[in-house]
Amino acid sequence: MIFSFSRLNLYDQCPYRFFQKYVLGKEEPMTQPLALGKAVHKAIDNKIKGIPHDQAVTNGFVEADFYHEIHYDDISDLVGRAPITVGMGETETYFKLPLSSHENAPMLQGYIDVVQPKGSIVDWKTNRIPYDVRESYQVPLYTWAISQIKNIKAVRGSYYFLRFRRESNYLFTEKEMEEARLWALNVANEINEKLDLYHFYPDKYKDIFPAKPSRFCKHCPFAANCYRKFQ
Ligand code: SF4
């Protein structure tokens, strides 16, 4: 399995939800926040590439498959709040890197919303509640990836919360980026061990990937299944 921040984070939040989605391959249904995020990201990407606002917003709406709970005006409003200029950086930058120098090291991949010429990165957020960029390992991991690719020792990473026109940014040091890499490596190794166990003992899936109830259960599409299995 190739890992991404969202895979690792989902496993961290709840191994059973991870099992349903990434081992059994069950689709999580599209939701309004997901569709809006998808549309807005596409539209901002297009605007940075020089596409006029209205066309960029339309392209975002198409990207989200005209999801019935989102509206053109909402996308347009959020996109209009992004502090962007044409050509400000490389958009949707893809990376795929081993998480250690070990021969069979797990691979981490991801897409970074914007990488600016000096290496700083930006991730657009449509969330209704802003939070600090250091609260999750997403940006620290992405800055680690950029530090590897560009061979730089400190990388600035930021979340930009469009609803609030508010940025949370931080200059990640080598030590902090290394901490994020180790978190990812440990979680990836644990998942790989669990996958091996599941291969030999498929009937033990509930012990191997246990449910971990938390505030995230509220939005979990597998809640009914989980309740039936774990009571
Ligand atoms: S309902 Fe909660 S505990 Fe159950 S799979 Fe979903 S997130 Fe995990």
Side-chain angles (χ1 to χ4, degrees):
M1 178 179 284
I2 297 176
F3 296 94
S4 62
F5 167 75
S6 55
R7 286 187 182 208
L8 297 168
N9 196 43
L10 192 67
Y11 177 84
D12 221 20
Q13 283 174 4
C14 178
Y16 189 66
R17 185 167 174 179
F18 171 91
F19 172 71
Q20 293 289 318
K21 183 168 181 179
Y22 293 117
V23 181
L24 300 185
K26 290 189 189 167
E27 289 276 326
E28 293 205 357
M30 183 55 83
T31 59
Q32 192 270 356
L34 282 178
L36 185 62
K38 200 171 181 182
V40 167
H41 276 77
K42 179 71 175 183
I44 293 177
D45 166 271
N46 275 202
K47 277 190 78 172
I48 293 173
K49 287 176 176 156
I51 296 172
H53 181 88
D54 288 353
Q55 183 60 52
V57 173
T58 301
N59 292 347
F61 209 6
V62 171
E63 183 77 6
D65 226 0
F66 300 100
Y67 186 71
H68 61 288
E69 286 180 27
I70 62 172
H71 305 286
Y72 180 96
D73 289 346
D74 295 335
I75 305 167
S76 176
D77 176 50
L78 287 171
V79 172
R81 294 170 187 237
I84 54 178
T85 50
V86 173
M88 67 186 274
E90 190 187 328
T91 59
E92 289 295 305
T93 304
Y94 177 72
F95 68 86
K96 185 173 166 190
L97 294 169
L99 279 165
S100 80
S101 54
H102 189 276
E103 196 186 348
N104 297 317
M107 301 295 289
L108 178 77
Q109 67 178 359
Y111 287 90
I112 302 174
D113 289 348
V114 183
V115 179
Q116 293 178 300
K118 288 187 179 166
S120 58
I121 68 169
V122 184
D123 194 87
W124 310 112
K125 292 286 179 200
T126 52
N127 300 43
R128 293 182 181 277
I129 300 174
Y131 53 95
D132 193 276
V133 71
R134 289 165 291 178
E135 271 186 42
S136 104
Y137 279 120
Q138 183 185 16
V139 170
L141 260 187
Y142 288 0
T143 55
W144 168 76
I146 292 299
S147 76
Q148 300 301 297
I149 295 164
K150 294 187 178 282
N151 196 24
I152 41 183
K153 292 198 182 310
V155 181
R156 187 167 293 282
S158 68
Y159 277 153
Y160 191 87
F161 293 91
L162 296 159
R163 288 179 196 278
F164 306 90
R165 289 194 166 95
R166 189 189 300 173
E167 184 177 35
S168 170
N169 81 64
Y170 185 75
L171 183 66
F172 290 92
T173 62
E174 249 181 315
K175 186 168 170 256
E176 289 156 332
M177 294 187 284
E178 178 63 4
E179 187 194 319
R181 179 190 74 82
L182 286 175
W183 168 80
L185 180 62
N186 288 335
V187 178
N189 283 338
E190 185 176 318
I191 293 171
N192 280 337
E193 284 167 19
K194 298 283 188 90
L195 291 173
D196 286 346
L197 270 177
Y198 175 65
H199 178 75
F200 290 110
Y201 308 105
D203 296 346
K204 296 277 183 202
Y205 68 93
K206 286 197 289 183
D207 298 323
I208 300 169
F209 295 100
K212 187 173 160 187
S214 70
R215 65 189 168 90
F216 300 112
C217 296
K218 244 187 331 198
H219 305 293
C220 176
F222 310 119
N225 169 303
C226 175
Y227 181 76
R228 280 196 299 276
K229 299 284 182 190
F230 291 90
Q231 288 290 312

